[in-house]
Amino acid sequence: MYDVTALGEVLIDFTEAGTSENGMSLFERNPGGAPANVLVALEHLGHDTAFIGKVGTDMHGVFLREVLEGERIDCTGLISDPDCFTTLAFVGLSPAGERTFSFARKPGADTRLAPEELAREVIASSKVFHVGSLSLTDEPVRSATHAAIKLAREAGCTLSYDPNYRANLWPSAEVATEHMRSIVADMDLMKISDEECALMTGVSDPVQASALLLERGPKVVAVTLGGSGALVRTADGVREVPGFPAKVVDTTGAGDSFWGGFLAAFVESGRAAGDVTVEEAARFARMGNAVASLCVRSRGGIPAMPSRSDVEALLTA
C-alpha cells in the first residue's frame, strides 16, 4: 500500500548557475517536476510513495529514474520510452529567487503517457492519488489523467490536486482555464497559490477563491500566500496559517514541498477528507509551511527537501 501516488511530469530543470569565463550563462542540471517533488517531500517525511509518468531512454531519463529510485519512490509506473525525449525546463532566477521558465517539450516524454499505459495496480493500492495540471496540456496524457482519476475514485483513493500554471505550455489562458478547472469537481484535497486564484475561480481574493472552490467539490482547500504562509478552508471555516521566517535562496519546489508536508500530515491524521476540520487543516498547513521554509533556504526542488527531524525541530522551536 502506498500512502501517496502521483501522476504527472518528472523532468530536468536546467537552472541558471552563474557564468563561464567567457561570460556565457551556465545551467545546472537538476531533477524536477511538481508531482515528483511532492513525492520526494513525502519520502523525506517517512511515507511510502509511487510515481506514474514517462521519460525518454536518453541520459536525462536514465538520470531521473535513478534519482526517484534513490529517493525510494516506487517507479513501477514510470515508463522509459525510446521514441520520445525527456522533458527539459530552463529556469531563470531573479535576485529574489523568483523563476521564469522556458520548456523543451514539443512534445516531451511526459505528454506521451497514454491511458493504456497506466499502472492500474499501483493506483488501486494507494491511499491518496495526486495530480497536477501539466498533464492536462496535451494528448494523450490528458486522457490518461482523466482515466487515472476515474480509476482512483473507483478504488476509494482520496483525490489530491495542485494546479500549476505555466502560460507558455498552453495555447491561451482561456484554454488553460477550461482544462485546469475540468477536474476540480473530482477532487477531495486541493491546493492553489494566491497567484492562481483568479485563473481557477475568477476572483483574486484567496478567501473568496477558497470558498468558491469548496462549493465546486473539494472538501479541503489550501491557498499558499508566499512568505506569509497559507490559508485553509473546510466546511466549518477558514483560517490563515503563518509561515516560518526564511531567507529565500530559490523558490523552486516551495509549493510542492508545502503540499508534500500537508499530505503527510493528512495521511498521518487518519481522517477522511470530508471529516477534516479547519483546525486540523491548519495543523496540516503548519507542517507544509515548515517543509517549504526549509526548502527555500537552499536550492529548491528534489535535492533540497528537508528531513523529518529538521521539520520537527522547526515545528517545536
Side-chain angles (χ1 to χ4, degrees):
M1 175 67 73
Y2 307 104
D3 290 332
V4 181
T5 292
L7 178 149
E9 72 279 3
V10 61
L11 48 78
I12 300 295
D13 283 333
F14 278 109
T15 308
E16 278 191 323
T19 57
S20 68
E21 292 180 358
N22 296 326
M24 305 301 288
S25 294
L26 297 174
F27 288 83
E28 178 182 62
R29 182 176 76 163
N30 291 296
N37 285 342
V38 170
L39 295 185
V40 174
L42 280 153
E43 285 285 347
H44 283 219
L45 295 170
H47 290 273
D48 294 327
T49 67
F51 182 78
I52 295 174
K54 182 173 281 195
V55 293
T57 55
D58 49 81
M59 68 171 71
H60 302 306
V62 171
F63 169 66
L64 289 170
R65 181 179 291 275
E66 289 175 348
V67 169
L68 293 182
E69 290 178 344
E71 295 285 352
R72 303 178 304 281
I73 295 169
D74 185 289
C75 290
T76 301
L78 176 60
I79 296 170
S80 295
D81 189 337
D83 294 327
C84 49
F85 197 77
T86 301
T87 302
L88 310 177
F90 292 84
V91 187
L93 292 176
S94 73
E98 295 298 329
R99 305 154 297 157
T100 56
F101 292 86
S102 179
F103 289 89
R105 190 185 185 240
K106 295 183 178 180
D110 72 295
T111 71
R112 308 312 298 162
L113 182 71
E116 61 270 19
E117 296 175 308
L118 292 170
R120 293 167 179 254
E121 70 286 355
V122 173
I123 297 172
S125 300
S126 305
K127 296 177 183 175
V128 176
F129 183 71
H130 172 73
V131 296
S133 59
L134 266 63
S135 62
L136 298 172
T137 60
D138 297 89
E139 291 290 3
V141 72
R142 181 187 299 146
S143 292
T145 301
H146 285 283
I149 289 169
K150 185 175 184 292
L151 289 169
R153 179 62 70 198
E154 291 171 350
C157 303
T158 298
L159 274 293
S160 163
Y161 181 33
D162 178 9
N164 189 15
Y165 181 55
R166 297 284 178 260
N168 53 0
L169 295 181
W170 296 93
S172 68
E174 291 74 23
V175 172
T177 298
E178 175 190 352
H179 288 292
M180 290 173 69
R181 293 183 184 183
S182 68
I183 61 174
V184 171
D186 295 308
M187 294 301 139
D188 300 302
L189 310 173
M190 186 170 174
K191 172 248 168 193
I192 61 173
S193 71
D194 51 356
E195 296 175 343
E196 292 160 343
C197 286
L199 186 76
M200 294 304 298
T201 69
V203 298
S204 57
D205 176 67
V207 174
Q208 296 179 43
S210 63
L212 288 171
L213 288 173
L214 208 71
E215 291 174 1
R216 295 171 186 175
K219 311 299 188 298
V220 181
V221 174
V223 183
T224 54
L225 307 173
S228 298
L231 176 147
V232 293
R233 183 183 285 277
T234 65
D236 67 328
V238 62
R239 181 78 53 82
E240 280 201 32
V241 185
F244 293 85
K247 181 180 180 180
V248 176
V249 174
D250 184 354
T251 60
T252 304
D256 309 329
S257 58
F258 168 85
W259 199 234
F262 190 102
L263 290 179
F266 168 75
V267 169
E268 290 160 19
S269 75
R271 301 283 276 173
D275 296 332
V276 173
T277 66
V278 71
E279 197 75 36
E280 290 169 324
R283 179 166 54 82
F284 304 164
R286 190 165 184 268
M287 169 76 90
N289 285 341
V291 179
S293 71
L294 292 169
C295 179
V296 301
R297 294 176 190 182
S298 56
R299 199 213 75 79
I302 286 175
M305 295 299 177
S307 67
R308 182 86 193 203
S309 59
D310 288 339
V311 172
E312 289 180 348
L314 180 60
L315 288 169
T316 57

